[in-house]
Amino acid sequence: MNFVHLHCHTPFSFLDGASQVEELVRRAAELEMPALAVTDHNNLSAAVQFAQAAAKFGLKAIQGAEVSLADGSHLTLLAEDEGGYASLCRLLTRAHLSNPRGQPAVRAEDLEEMPGVIVLSGCRQGLIPRSILKGDYRQARQQAELYRSLWGRSSFYIELQNLLLPGDHYLNQRLLELAAELDLEVVASNNVHYARHEDFFLHDVLCCVKKLITIHAIDPARPLNGESYMKSGTQMQALFPDCPQALANTMRIAERCQSFLHEPVFHFPCFPLRPGQEAARVLRRLVWEGAQRRYRRVTPAVTERLEYELGIIEQMGFPDYFLVVWDLAHYSRQQGIRYAGRGSAADSLAAYCLGITEVDSLQRGLLFERFMNPERVGMPDIDIDFESRYRDKVIDYVYRKYGSEYVARVATYNTFRARSGLRELGKALGFPEAELDPLCKRMPFYARADQIRSLLQRLPELRDSPLHQPRYQLLLDCCDRLAGFPRFLGMHLGGLVISDIPITSLTPLQESGLGPVISQFDKDDIEGLGLVKLDLLSLRTLSVIQDATAQIRSSGQDMDYEAIPLDDRDTFAMINRGETIGVFQLESPAQRALQSRFRASEFEDVVTSMALIRPGPIKGNMVDPYVARHLGQEEVSYLHPWLEPILKKTYGVVLFQEQVIEIGRAIAGFTPAEADQLRRVMTHSRSQKMMEELGRTFVERSVERGIEPALAEEIFACMLGYASYGFCEAHAAAFATTSYKSAYLIQHHPAEYYTAILNHQPMGFYPPRVIGNEARRRGISLLPPDVCSSSIDFSVEQGAIRVGLKQVKGLSAASLESIVSAREQSAYASPLDFAVRTTVPQDSLDSLIRCGALDSLCSHRRFLLSQLYYDLEKRQARQSGTTLLFEEQVIPTGADFSLAEKRTWEYNLLGLYVGEHPMAAWRPALKKQGFKSSRDLPDCAAGMTVWAAGLLLHPHRPPTRSGKITVFFSLEDEFGMIDATMFEDVYMKYGAYIFGPRHGPLLAGGKLHRRGEGVSLIVQQVSPVLYSAT
Amino acid sequence: MKNHIPLQVKCDGDQGPIAVRYHDKPLRVVARLEYWHDTGCWGAGESEKHFYRLILEDQSIREIFYDLVEEEWFLYKTYD
């Protein structure tokens, strides 16, 4: 039977589609249907994935949407061709942007201009069926006449659905009458919401999530039955036995519609040029000018490389794209906005000459092919980090320059995770919120919705989770099924596309939750549309650098960030001690552990460090052998002399992706494009079959060049072993510059740098309390917040860090402004004077007193709190021009709060310890019992059993090659940090203490492990502290 | 099925009921007005049912259903 489903919802109908796009396409292919249409509610987000899946299964993809009209009715729209698709994009954009967010509605007048669109009258929510069901046949007829006049009888069909619902028989009879009266064609659909009948329960649960009801509620929005699945042609024939034309018309429509979007048609941005100018020529001029600036004397090697790159850039049609990025860099420089190009763009010498990146790819021997080559399947994109506070200014510039009709922010598909799945589906299944909340919170935040069952088996902290009970099994089934379903569209961190044609011809736009207008496609799908993404990222480290260097200069010291020497011995000494908290990309426990034994002595070692501490090398147990070779403790060997020039800088190890390309070229004689393909297959963990095919080609081509087959196989196996986790060297080099220079600033200007870090929280690996503690460890005092002297931000005060008033929890911008401006008039004379002259509300005044910000006016905090009501009364009297009956000076009496109480409030309200670290209070008792501090550990012998205590920090379980769980965490005390490792057997016993609910410090006992200058603890036992420090 | 009267129904293959025995009186189906499926409250363990609204030969309009789990016919509703 020939039939095609022309009305089908995917999970992009957001809670109204219960089968993945590919599942639906596969099912249609199994049912031997030649085509399929996707018609999600008011969006086209599935379009690219659908087109690609349909191409894979040999189906024609018909793009469409089920749109909502202003009166709440629905219409099914199908794009006949790319023109029709563009019509849909424009229509949906107007529907979204001319209405409040989340309530898209197509205006009747917009329906008049939809060339290339085929319209079906819709489901029961269509205006025509709705009128019939209300008994108003006349209105149905009028509407049908109107639609026929708008689109003609060749593009407007009466849609029949037989979902075995009460009234379907009657409705279809009337619709057939109407079609006959108006000489309209009918078409059958099944309003598909899931692939198979058994998926009904998930669709029903999702409907309940959408309607905020439970599955026990009776609601007309819930489906009455499970008939909205993808039925076969025979099943559809049985549902419409008297109307074969309705089925045949599905085929006719499918034949009329064209398939597109399965392959990208490129839409490069157009850089505005003066008349007569040509992008390629302008680019050439800028590149050569840049080369002159960078090198002063342009060598033949530079010329050859730039000619090669420019040739490929022109061949691939990228000159405009490069000009766009150059212009952004140029604008940022002009505006004094710090930026740094990152990623594989740093493989390009042209990008270096244009000032986009700071990595000299020629000098480093980096390969342009890693960034772009004509045979590459995916599109290259350029990522630039900007100072976080000015990144949006750069984005505004893009919109101004190219026009909002050509620019769009990229979306992200926010999908159901374990926590959100349990919470939302749990509520729909009738579990109370109070019951679900602890279940969700105990689930690791990173867990996917379909991992819950396996985590319940694996993680000791979930051993006693109620989720093991049979009553939750349906909930876990639902979570399994909806893993990866999009929940809503978010905004990509920095992704932006600029098109050569109006962007709303390629993608519908809608408002994001954060405000800016976004495309309906994520970064992968937008690339599938042929748009080239620009990543304009916001990097707080660059703002920290900017602030720190400005502060250094304002204190009268010389500071030229660009001129920071890359061979500063003190900086390397600091790195080698592992004292890198706050250093960009070098501050994680794993990086600190590496640095303390790596003995970095030059910039290249920092570059290597970027690539070494990655999941791959760690998982592959590659870090220790690499360090051994670096330290000369292990011999460096090469499988073939041709490999030596390629692998010399990494001691014979394939560490960087660029090296895979070079080996492909040197050993097998691959073309640059072939070699990049080799790199892509290896680094993206493609199928075993593809790997084997590539291996055969590599060996054959190597043998042709005189390499022994066995050796060629060994080289391939070696690449395969390492390259699956290879890192892009250009990216490592770009990051390493920022990394090393931030280390330099910390070594030589710690107060300024840590102050800047504290001002840009949240950022980096550690919370403010750790940054504050590290500053103190380096001898920098932390001064408490003070309404008389603190700025709004943290500031440097005679070599110390003064806590900024903004750090006090709950203080509004208006309160902060009020404190500072009143102080500028005259200094505060007393707490009463402060209360009277500012507008700080009562709860914020309470916080200021408790965290010690009024101590300089009166240090008796209990007294200040007791006087608070009086102070506020006085303020009110002042404002209303009255006087109080009693204005007596009250003398503080009675005891103040204890030190412990004050410290607790300080931490709770500031998020850092201004005074003594809480572990200091525990220290005498701990010392008496033989516990070591972080300061004691370096003096202990390797292998010695020690016990230590501290505040638990950053426990995590990175992936391992064996699949076994290894836990890393730190214990923070008043002297610094103790890094600890816990293997699976110990974790199984004590994991609940690490990942379960936490109360106070943690005790850990184990063997002291010494590597290089660093020490760590291999944990054997863990316990929470059970006794009081006071 | 609680609250519902079991019925004896004669069907014609996939075409549905052609006769109903009601109060021991066999009645031919004159017309099938509607036919629908209801999954019921599946979360509470209810089974799926197939409903028919029929005109019987005595000109009465009745709704009957077939319970897919019980594999039995029941009277659902009688129109006055």
Side-chain angles (χ1 to χ4, degrees):
Chain A
M1 178 61 211
N2 288 333
F3 172 79
V4 167
H5 283 283
L6 297 176
H7 188 143
C8 177
H9 293 270
T10 79
F12 285 102
S13 278
F14 299 105
L15 302 176
D16 204 16
S19 295
Q20 294 281 19
V21 174
E22 186 163 328
E23 212 178 326
L24 291 162
V25 175
R26 184 186 291 115
R27 183 65 186 144
E30 280 169 6
L31 296 172
E32 297 180 348
M33 290 179 181
L36 177 67
V38 159
T39 52
D40 282 317
H41 293 301
N42 300 306
N43 78 75
L44 292 168
S45 290
V48 175
Q49 291 178 25
F50 170 50
Q52 290 169 351
K56 183 172 149 190
F57 286 93
L59 258 68
K60 179 188 276 187
I62 302 169
Q63 304 293 351
E66 184 175 16
V67 298
S68 305
L69 307 186
D71 59 4
S73 64
H74 290 181
L75 267 184
T76 314
L77 308 181
L78 303 172
E80 206 170 345
D81 50 23
E82 281 169 293
Y85 172 81
S87 294
L88 284 184
C89 290
R90 287 191 292 270
L91 185 80
L92 289 170
T93 300
R94 282 196 291 272
H96 279 277
L97 298 185
S98 56
N99 288 287
R101 184 177 165 267
Q103 298 166 37
V106 172
R107 292 175 305 184
E109 58 266 37
D110 290 336
L111 291 170
E112 293 168 18
E113 289 175 34
M114 295 195 302
V117 173
I118 296 171
V119 183
L120 315 186
S121 59
C123 60
R124 280 182 170 223
Q125 289 194 67
L127 198 52
I128 295 169
R130 207 161 72 176
S131 300
I132 290 175
L133 286 170
K134 276 197 308 196
D136 193 347
Y137 185 80
R138 223 185 73 197
Q139 196 199 350
R141 189 188 157 110
Q142 278 174 358
Q143 197 62 37
E145 282 173 334
L146 173 69
Y147 286 168
R148 188 183 60 176
S149 67
L150 280 179
W151 306 305
R153 61 183 296 279
S154 63
S155 291
F156 174 56
Y157 288 76
I158 296 292
E159 186 173 355
L160 305 177
Q161 295 181 347
N162 187 359
L163 295 166
L164 303 177
L165 295 172
D168 270 358
H169 181 68
Y170 167 80
L171 174 62
N172 286 335
Q173 290 305 316
R174 299 290 85 74
L175 287 170
L176 281 165
E177 280 171 34
L178 181 66
E181 281 174 25
L182 300 180
D183 192 24
L184 288 167
E185 292 283 351
V186 290
V187 63
S189 79
N190 202 53
N191 203 359
V192 174
H193 287 266
Y194 36 93
R196 294 168 193 276
H197 183 258
E198 55 267 31
D199 301 328
F200 158 71
F201 81 98
L202 184 61
H203 180 235
D204 192 17
V205 173
L206 291 174
C207 286
C208 292
V209 172
K210 192 172 191 172
K211 296 297 293 180
L212 302 174
I213 54 174
T214 74
I215 56 164
H216 309 298
I218 295 170
D219 192 288
R222 289 181 63 189
L224 186 74
N225 61 40
E227 297 297 326
S228 283
Y229 64 97
M230 190 173 279
K231 289 177 177 160
S232 67
T234 311
Q235 285 173 308
M236 290 301 291
Q237 191 180 23
L239 290 169
F240 295 96
D242 305 323
C243 196
Q245 193 58 28
L247 303 165
N249 279 340
T250 64
M251 294 295 290
R252 284 176 56 194
I253 290 174
E255 279 159 18
R256 271 174 66 179
C257 293
Q258 291 171 16
S259 222
F260 47 92
L261 297 184
H262 50 283
E263 276 179 357
V265 177
F266 296 114
H267 293 279
F268 295 108
C270 256
F271 184 72
L273 295 166
R274 283 197 298 273
Q277 280 189 321
E278 196 188 315
R281 283 181 176 220
V282 175
L283 180 67
R284 276 182 175 271
R285 179 174 57 77
L286 291 169
V287 166
W288 291 117
E289 284 172 8
Q292 208 70 47
R293 259 196 316 278
R294 291 281 193 194
Y295 296 106
R296 291 200 185 118
R297 198 180 70 81
V298 178
T299 62
V302 171
T303 306
E304 189 188 342
R305 171 67 176 251
L306 286 177
E307 281 296 347
Y308 172 70
E309 289 193 10
L310 286 166
I312 291 180
I313 291 167
E314 287 164 17
Q315 184 191 338
M316 290 180 69
F318 269 73
D320 283 277
Y321 181 75
F322 269 78
L323 287 175
V324 167
V325 183
W326 162 81
D327 181 54
L328 289 181
H330 182 67
Y331 169 78
S332 303
R333 271 197 308 276
Q334 278 184 330
Q335 297 291 315
I337 299 170
R338 194 168 286 284
Y339 71 92
R342 61 145 91 167
S344 61
D347 278 306
S348 163
L349 191 64
Y352 176 64
C353 292
L354 290 169
I356 296 167
T357 68
E358 285 305 310
V359 178
D360 183 342
S361 56
L362 184 67
Q363 181 255 322
R364 295 195 66 81
L366 298 176
L367 298 175
F368 182 65
E369 294 78 23
R370 167 66 188 84
F371 173 55
M372 67 191 294
N373 73 68
E375 291 166 47
R376 183 169 160 173
V377 182
M379 299 288 285
D381 59 2
I382 298 181
D383 305 341
I384 308 181
D385 291 319
F386 292 92
E387 231 184 286
S388 52
R389 66 190 141 197
Y390 297 126
R391 193 280 309 261
D392 287 353
K393 193 174 166 182
V394 179
I395 289 180
D396 287 345
Y397 171 74
V398 174
Y399 272 93
R400 279 200 313 276
K401 176 133 191 168
Y402 300 93
S404 56
E405 61 273 37
Y406 293 90
V407 183
R409 302 285 295 266
V410 176
T412 53
Y413 306 143
N414 286 280
T415 55
F416 276 102
R417 313 287 297 172
R419 283 183 177 185
S420 55
L422 284 174
R423 195 178 295 279
E424 295 207 54
L425 297 179
K427 272 196 267 184
L429 290 174
F431 295 104
E433 173 77 42
E435 184 180 334
L436 291 168
D437 190 55
L439 299 177
C440 297
K441 283 184 176 157
R442 286 178 69 178
M443 215 24 83
F445 71 92
Y446 57 80
R448 293 197 316 263
D450 58 352
Q451 283 181 313
I452 299 172
R453 280 200 170 95
S454 70
L455 291 174
L456 286 171
Q457 297 305 319
R458 285 177 62 214
L459 303 184
E461 66 269 25
L462 297 178
R463 212 173 281 147
D464 61 347
S465 168
L467 287 173
H468 289 280
Q469 295 167 13
R471 58 197 294 261
Y472 293 109
Q473 295 317 297
L474 176 60
L475 173 57
L476 300 192
D477 286 344
C478 289
C479 286
D480 271 346
R481 289 298 317 274
L482 100 170
F485 275 30
R487 179 68 181 87
F488 59 90
L489 292 187
M491 186 170 70
H492 188 273
L493 284 174
L496 196 77
V497 285
I498 306 169
S499 171
D500 58 340
I501 60 171
I503 199 93
T504 52
S505 299
L506 296 168
T507 167
L509 303 178
Q510 65 178 66
E511 199 181 321
S512 69
L514 294 170
V517 168
I518 53 171
S519 151
Q520 286 186 345
F521 295 102
D522 79 348
K523 65 183 177 67
D524 296 323
D525 289 345
I526 210 147
E527 192 179 283
L529 289 175
L531 290 162
V532 191
K533 181 168 67 71
L534 268 174
D535 247 345
L536 309 185
L537 297 152
S538 147
L539 187 63
R540 287 175 190 248
T541 296
L542 294 179
S543 296
V544 168
I545 287 169
Q546 188 74 355
D547 283 0
T549 50
Q551 174 68 38
I552 295 162
R553 279 194 294 271
S554 73
S555 65
Q557 301 172 73
D558 283 341
M559 170 46 64
D560 180 358
Y561 180 77
E562 313 308 327
I564 286 176
L566 293 178
D567 57 354
D568 182 66
R569 290 175 65 175
D570 291 342
T571 301
F572 279 111
M574 181 194 89
I575 292 173
N576 290 339
R577 290 193 300 275
E579 294 175 355
T580 50
I581 288 176
V583 177
F584 180 61
Q585 294 285 315
L586 288 188
E587 62 176 342
S588 72
Q591 273 290 4
R592 287 189 285 109
L594 170 72
Q595 300 311 326
S596 63
R597 63 186 201 277
F598 194 52
R599 293 186 207 155
S601 58
E602 55 181 11
F603 179 70
E604 286 310 305
D605 295 334
V606 184
V607 178
T608 308
S609 301
M610 299 287 126
L612 265 180
I613 300 300
R614 307 283 305 170
I618 292 171
K619 211 169 155 181
N621 288 335
M622 175 182 155
V623 180
D624 285 340
Y626 189 92
V627 173
R629 288 182 180 196
H630 172 72
L631 298 178
Q633 293 162 351
E634 195 177 283
E635 201 184 329
V636 178
S637 59
Y638 304 96
L639 288 170
H640 191 280
W642 292 352
L643 292 175
E644 188 170 348
I646 301 167
L647 301 180
K648 194 172 181 181
K649 65 181 170 190
T650 51
Y651 309 103
V653 171
V654 183
L655 187 63
F656 297 119
Q657 293 173 356
E658 286 87 341
Q659 291 172 322
V660 174
I661 298 175
E662 286 189 87
I663 293 171
R665 288 170 68 174
I667 302 292
F670 281 174
T671 63
E674 286 173 330
D676 185 53
Q677 178 64 8
L678 174 73
R679 187 270 312 169
R680 284 177 70 80
V681 171
M682 281 190 166
T683 54
H684 286 78
S685 304
R686 304 297 164 101
S687 69
Q688 184 67 24
K689 197 177 157 205
M690 279 178 88
M691 287 288 192
E692 283 169 7
E693 276 174 22
L694 252 175
R696 266 195 304 276
T697 312
F698 180 87
V699 172
E700 280 167 20
R701 302 273 289 271
S702 303
V703 170
E704 284 169 18
R705 290 165 63 83
I707 310 268
E708 289 294 318
L711 181 60
E713 278 173 22
E714 199 178 346
I715 293 170
F716 187 79
C718 175
M719 275 199 293
L720 204 57
Y722 291 122
S724 60
Y725 41 74
F727 198 62
C728 174
E729 185 181 350
H731 182 59
F735 264 16
T737 309
T738 310
S739 184
Y740 169 82
K741 289 188 176 181
S742 67
Y744 178 93
L745 289 172
I746 286 177
Q747 171 59 28
H748 296 283
H749 307 279
E752 288 83 355
Y753 198 85
Y754 284 125
T755 297
I757 288 187
L758 287 166
N759 275 330
H760 286 282
Q761 292 294 312
M763 65 168 284
F765 209 77
Y766 300 104
R769 77 163 205 257
V770 175
I771 301 297
N773 209 30
E774 177 62 11
R776 197 168 18 222
R777 194 189 65 75
R778 289 170 181 264
I780 299 158
S781 301
L782 229 58
L783 304 175
D786 183 352
V787 294
C788 296
S789 54
S790 279
S791 308
I792 291 176
D793 287 333
F794 285 81
S795 55
V796 180
E797 195 175 302
Q798 294 173 337
I801 297 174
R802 170 71 72 184
V803 175
L805 292 172
K806 73 172 182 187
Q807 192 65 14
V808 183
K809 201 183 272 181
L811 231 62
S812 67
S815 293
L816 290 168
E817 186 54 39
S818 153
I819 296 170
V820 174
S821 60
R823 194 173 71 196
E824 279 167 5
Q825 314 269 320
S826 64
Y828 297 122
S830 67
L832 181 63
D833 180 40
F834 175 79
V836 167
R837 288 204 288 132
T838 64
T839 57
V840 180
Q842 184 177 347
D843 55 344
S844 298
L845 265 176
D846 185 291
S847 299
L848 285 166
I849 293 168
R850 285 179 196 274
C851 74
L854 267 75
D855 277 8
S856 62
L857 296 171
C858 173
S859 61
H860 199 303
R861 297 185 200 174
R862 189 193 293 273
F863 166 74
L864 285 177
L865 285 174
S866 70
Q867 287 294 296
L868 190 56
Y869 180 71
Y870 169 77
D871 291 346
L872 291 167
E873 213 177 32
K874 175 81 181 166
R875 177 199 288 174
Q876 209 172 11
R878 166 81 64 94
Q879 285 165 353
S880 60
T882 56
T883 52
L884 290 182
L885 289 176
F886 302 100
E887 280 199 38
E888 53 204 272
Q889 185 66 40
V890 187
I891 308 298
T893 54
D896 196 3
F897 297 115
S898 72
L899 193 63
E901 284 173 307
K902 288 181 178 180
R903 295 287 172 261
T904 305
W905 280 329
E906 283 166 14
Y907 179 69
N908 289 342
L909 290 162
L910 300 173
L912 43 76
Y913 304 111
V914 177
E916 194 180 54
H917 191 282
M919 287 309 295
W922 295 83
R923 188 58 56 200
L926 289 167
K927 201 167 185 179
K928 209 181 282 179
Q929 294 185 47
F931 284 87
K932 304 287 184 191
S933 70
S934 61
R935 194 171 58 181
D936 302 329
L937 286 192
D939 299 329
C940 297
M944 181 180 164
T945 298
V946 290
W947 276 87
L951 304 179
L952 181 67
L953 194 66
H954 215 293
H956 59 292
R957 296 165 278 215
T960 58
R961 184 167 61 172
S962 63
K964 288 194 167 182
I965 297 170
T966 304
V967 180
F968 298 94
F969 61 88
S970 303
L971 291 175
E972 179 204 342
D973 67 16
E974 69 273 40
F975 306 112
M977 272 198 288
I978 299 163
D979 291 326
T981 306
M982 180 190 265
F983 294 112
E984 185 162 302
D985 54 336
V986 183
Y987 165 64
M988 285 299 161
K989 281 188 200 163
Y990 302 106
Y993 291 137
I994 306 293
F995 293 100
R998 288 175 218 158
H999 306 285
L1002 194 81
L1003 305 180
K1007 299 273 184 205
L1008 189 91
H1009 187 57
R1010 186 179 285 282
R1011 285 202 295 191
E1013 290 191 36
V1015 290
S1016 64
L1017 199 61
I1018 306 297
V1019 179
Q1020 291 166 322
Q1021 287 183 66
V1022 169
S1023 167
V1025 174
L1026 297 173
Y1027 51 88
S1028 167
T1030 50
Chain B
M1 281 295 290
K2 281 177 189 171
N3 306 324
H4 293 294
I5 303 164
L7 291 174
Q8 196 182 347
V9 176
K10 191 175 179 188
C11 290
D12 179 17
D14 292 339
Q15 297 305 307
I18 52 168
V20 175
R21 182 184 291 276
Y22 185 57
H23 288 312
D24 283 337
K25 186 180 173 190
L27 294 166
R28 273 201 310 273
V29 174
V30 176
R32 203 178 86 179
L33 298 177
E34 279 293 351
Y35 167 52
W36 70 93
H37 290 185
D38 185 344
T39 308
C41 193
W42 58 269
E46 263 185 37
S47 53
E48 184 170 336
K49 300 167 192 71
H50 293 180
F51 287 79
Y52 292 83
R53 187 180 299 144
L54 309 168
I55 302 178
L56 302 180
E57 64 175 312
D58 62 357
Q59 295 307 305
S60 64
I61 299 177
R62 293 175 207 275
E63 283 177 8
I64 66 170
F65 68 85
Y66 181 72
D67 187 302
L68 266 64
V69 171
E70 303 260 333
E71 295 184 337
E72 217 175 329
W73 288 92
F74 296 90
L75 177 68
Y76 181 62
K77 202 184 277 182
T78 300
Y79 289 80
D80 286 331

